[in-house]
Amino acid sequence: KKDKKFILKALKLSSYALRFADKSFKKDKKIVLEAVKKNGDALQFADKILRKDSKIVLEAVKENAEALEYAHKSLRKDRKIVLEAVKQNTIALEFADKSLKNDPDILAILNKIKK
């Protein structure tokens, strides 16, 4: 759990390896970024500080829109992140801040999908 090389290799097999990694790795931006690029849901195992990192959250929602659920609430208001998530899967809107639910670009994505 404390061997960085081992954790990086484990992450190549499964991003859920982050769940079992030492706390220090859950705070390591490089390791968390590697994990969320493979599976956005790995964001749930990242340290709270990294759940506030827009770059990490953006990568997570690009891979899995539902990762927005694990993002810090301030990033659930971030239009760029929410737009990316909704493009991936409209279910992400469920986790977005309500202030964005009537955003014209988000509504356009929803209307396009309904057609």
Side-chain angles (χ1 to χ4, degrees), residues 18 25 32 36-37 44 46 50-51 61 66 84-85 98 104:
L18 187 60
F25 297 130
V32 172
V36 300
K37 282 182 176 181
Q44 68 186 299
L50 293 182
R51 291 185 201 187
V61 301
E66 292 180 56
E84 188 62 43
K98 62 183 176 181

Side-chain angles (χ1 to χ4, degrees), residues 37-89:
K37 282 182 176 181
K38 185 170 176 72
N39 184 337
D41 274 347
L43 185 62
Q44 68 186 299
F45 306 119
D47 186 81
K48 289 179 183 181
I49 292 170
L50 293 182
R51 291 185 201 187
K52 292 180 182 180
D53 185 296
S54 60
K55 182 178 179 182
I56 288 177
V57 172
L58 184 60
E59 289 299 323
V61 301
K62 281 181 180 178
E63 197 291 315
N64 182 343
E66 292 180 56
L68 187 61
E69 176 181 7
Y70 307 112
H72 186 268
K73 65 181 180 178
S74 65
L75 294 181
R76 293 184 205 168
K77 295 178 184 180
D78 184 301
R79 188 173 180 277
K80 180 180 177 182
I81 289 173
V82 173
L83 268 170
E84 188 62 43
V86 172
K87 285 179 190 175
Q88 285 291 330
N89 187 335

